[in-house]
Amino acid sequence: MKILLVPGSRGWAFDHRARDLCTLSFKHIRLHLKYVNKVKTSDQHHYDLIYPMSVNIAKKLNEETGIPREKMAVGITSLRVIDKYSVSFLKSFRGLNTASDEITRMLQSRLPIYKTRVGINEQLFKPATGKKETGPFVVGWVGRIDQQGYRKLKGYDLVTSALKNINVKLDIRTFQEKVPREDMVSFYQGLDCFICSSASEHIPLPVLEAAACGVPLITTNVGIVPELISDSSKGFIVPRKSDAFRDTVQTLMNHPEKRREVSKNIRQTIVDRWTLEACQSDWENFFLSMW
C-alpha cells in the first residue's frame, strides 16, 4: 500500500510527525511525504491513500486540487476540529484517526475512528548526562502567546501567576521563535520540571518530548496525559489553577528525591510504551484497515 503523507509546511508538529513515520520500516505499506502546496491533482492516481496530517490541511487540499475526500484519511487533532466541522463532513473521508482517548470517546458513537498513539524518538530526546545540581530551579513551558485565544488556551498567564512569588526561573519557547526540533532537546535537558497548562490538547507533543528527556511533568488532564502519567510516581496531573501549579512546583523544589524518582519513571515509560517503534503497529493497522 502506497501512502502519501501531507503536512502543511516544514518545521512544525505535523511535519515532525510525518517525518518520524517515514523513518520506520513497515511490512505492508510505503510512506512518502509532500507538503500541501506541492501536491498535484494527479497524485491521487499515484497513491493508494492520501493522508493529510490535519482536517484543515485536508480541506485545503480538496479545495485547491480537487482530490476527493474519499481518497483521503485524516487525523482529528483537537477538540476545536469537532466544534468546527460537522459529522457528515468528517464521515466523507475514507478514514479517521486520533491519538487521544478523549476524542475517541467523543466520536466513536457517531462515526468510526481509529486510535493511533504518536511515538517519540527516544534516542534524540533523552536525559542530559551530568545534569546540574546547583543553580536556579528551572521551570519549562512551551506554547503560543502571540494571540490572545492561544494564550488563554495554553494557560500562559496561569503559569506566570503561579510562579511570580517563588524563587524559580521560567524558561519558555514560543511559536514565534521557531526553534529547530534538535535545539529543543537542550531546552528540555536544562529543566527541573515542565508545566503543561492547556485547557485542551490532542497529545500534547512537548509533554512527550519532556518526558523522553526525563523531565518531571506538572500537567492538566488533557490529551494523552492520563495514559502517560498513570500514577504519581510518573508525574503530576493537577487542576487548571495557579495555586495547583505553584504547590506542585514547590513540592518538587523541596523534594529532590521525588524529582529523581519521577524523572527515572517517566523516561522508562517512554522507552517501554511511547517510542516510534512501540506505536508503529497502531499506524500500520490503521492504514491497512482502509485497503
Side-chain angles (χ1 to χ4, degrees):
M1 187 179 191
K2 191 177 178 183
I3 300 165
L4 180 63
L5 306 180
V6 185
S9 58
R10 293 181 184 273
W12 301 115
F14 294 139
D15 184 30
H16 297 327
R17 195 172 307 159
R19 288 181 175 275
D20 282 344
L21 286 169
C22 287
T23 66
L24 298 171
S25 297
F26 294 93
K27 289 183 179 179
H28 303 294
I29 62 176
R30 288 180 293 155
L31 301 181
H32 303 262
L33 185 152
K34 279 189 180 182
Y35 297 101
V36 65
N37 60 351
K38 299 295 185 181
V39 178
K40 299 178 181 179
T41 304
S42 59
D43 282 324
Q44 65 182 303
H45 306 300
H46 300 151
Y47 297 93
D48 297 299
L49 181 71
I50 296 176
Y51 182 80
M53 304 301 292
S54 75
V55 177
N56 288 338
I57 296 171
K59 183 174 182 291
K60 179 179 180 179
L61 195 61
N62 171 251
E63 292 172 348
E64 294 186 356
T65 69
I67 295 175
R69 292 193 291 270
E70 59 266 25
K71 183 72 177 183
M72 306 179 196
V74 69
I76 307 296
T77 55
S78 74
L79 297 178
R80 299 185 300 281
V81 168
I82 300 172
D83 294 334
K84 183 176 181 180
Y85 296 104
S86 68
V87 170
S88 61
F89 177 83
L90 295 176
K91 278 185 175 179
S92 67
F93 290 99
R94 189 163 158 188
L96 300 170
N97 71 320
T98 185
S100 166
D101 273 349
E102 181 181 18
I103 292 174
T104 301
R105 287 193 298 270
M106 291 181 67
L107 291 180
Q108 62 187 359
S109 64
R110 292 182 282 168
L111 45 80
I113 189 161
Y114 213 101
K115 173 69 186 295
T116 50
R117 289 172 297 148
V118 172
I120 191 75
N121 182 347
E122 85 289 0
Q123 297 180 37
L124 174 62
F125 290 93
K126 58 186 177 183
T129 55
K131 186 171 173 60
K132 68 179 180 69
E133 295 295 336
T134 60
F137 189 92
V138 183
V139 179
W141 185 90
V142 174
R144 293 189 66 168
I145 58 175
D146 56 310
Q147 297 178 22
Q148 186 57 36
Y150 281 111
R151 187 181 180 114
K152 184 177 181 180
L153 174 71
K154 298 296 184 179
Y156 177 71
D157 295 312
L158 282 171
V159 174
T160 55
S161 174
L163 303 181
K164 66 181 179 181
N165 292 322
I166 58 178
N167 186 27
V168 300
K169 175 186 176 183
L170 177 61
D171 195 2
I172 73 170
R173 296 293 183 271
T174 71
F175 172 84
Q176 290 174 306
E177 292 168 308
K178 299 182 179 179
V179 180
R181 192 183 196 190
E182 293 74 15
D183 292 349
M184 288 297 291
V185 177
S186 59
F187 163 71
Y188 293 119
Q189 289 176 342
L191 304 178
D192 293 293
C193 72
F194 180 83
I195 291 179
C196 170
S197 50
S198 297
S200 70
E201 287 284 358
H202 174 232
I203 298 177
L205 190 58
V207 163
L208 269 182
E209 294 172 343
C213 292
V215 180
L217 303 172
I218 303 170
T219 173
T220 49
N221 190 8
V222 292
I224 67 168
V225 162
E227 300 171 66
L228 187 65
I229 303 175
S230 56
D231 59 66
S232 61
S233 72
K234 298 176 181 177
F236 302 89
I237 301 176
V238 301
R240 196 171 186 255
K241 299 178 180 179
S242 287
D243 58 353
F245 294 126
R246 181 180 59 251
D247 292 347
T248 312
V249 168
Q250 290 179 314
T251 295
L252 287 173
M253 289 175 67
N254 296 331
H255 297 89
E257 72 286 353
K258 183 63 175 178
R259 294 203 306 272
R260 289 190 288 270
E261 175 197 18
V262 172
S263 173
K264 177 182 177 181
N265 289 339
I266 196 60
R267 166 66 182 180
Q268 192 60 49
T269 297
I270 294 292
V271 171
D272 291 342
R273 180 166 167 77
W274 295 92
T275 64
L276 295 172
E277 291 76 14
C279 301
Q280 180 173 347
S281 61
D282 290 8
W283 287 87
E284 185 159 29
N285 291 337
F286 167 60
F287 288 134
L288 291 176
S289 72
M290 292 169 283
W291 201 2

